[in-house]
Amino acid sequence: MQHETFMRLALQQAQQALTCKEFPVGAVIVAGNEPVAFGRRANSRSETANELDHAEIVALRDLLARRPDIARDTLTVYSTMEPCLMCYSTMLLNGIRTFVYGYEDAMGGGTGLQLAHLTPLYQAMETEVHILPHVLRQESLDLFKTFFSSPENNYWQNSQLADYTLAQP
């Protein structure tokens, strides 16, 4: 299945992040059948922590640097975790309307945002957005379980997301 093929690329990015002891979110942006940008979470460790270097934002920066001319409404973002509110709204504002993710973000996921209840800028996007959750969910979940099970990883430890993740079968 095509969605699984691209999600496996996102999983590779997430595995690279985990290997670097970063939060294991990976993202791939796809145009048609071609991956055109990649990103993985960076700077989630306490000594360099920031909330800007999310995988989807890194992938979007990669896209804008390499393919600024691409029609963004034709793109699909594949992410190992449901995009947070920041990433989701940033992608929407940049014209991306299709999102595929592996694991739900029980603490900060943004795809459930009721666009119709927001300002006119977002209301106009409501009918165009396509979301496909839980593609290769178990593979994504396994990376997050590994992350939260390690005492070396301090990002969101003892949070609602960590508790939810570690309670999953």
Side-chain angles (χ1 to χ4, degrees), residues 56-118:
E56 298 89 345
I57 302 300
V58 173
L60 182 60
R61 286 180 181 146
D62 183 41
L63 173 76
L64 296 175
R66 294 194 296 136
R67 301 284 303 268
D69 58 324
I70 201 161
R72 294 184 205 146
D73 62 344
T74 66
L75 301 174
T76 300
V77 175
Y78 289 84
S79 182
T80 57
M81 177 172 268
E82 176 185 5
C84 71
L85 183 58
M86 175 186 72
C87 293
Y88 183 58
S89 61
T90 299
M91 295 290 174
L92 288 174
L93 289 171
N94 277 278
I96 297 172
R97 298 291 184 268
T98 306
F99 303 86
V100 179
Y101 64 86
Y103 183 55
E104 64 276 10
D105 183 346
M107 186 171 75
T111 63
L113 182 65
Q114 297 294 315
L115 298 175
H117 298 285
L118 299 178

Side-chain angles (χ1 to χ4, degrees), residues 16-33:
Q16 290 174 16
L18 184 61
T19 299
C20 294
K21 298 184 174 149
E22 297 284 357
F23 195 55
V25 180
V28 175
I29 301 177
V30 174
N33 288 320

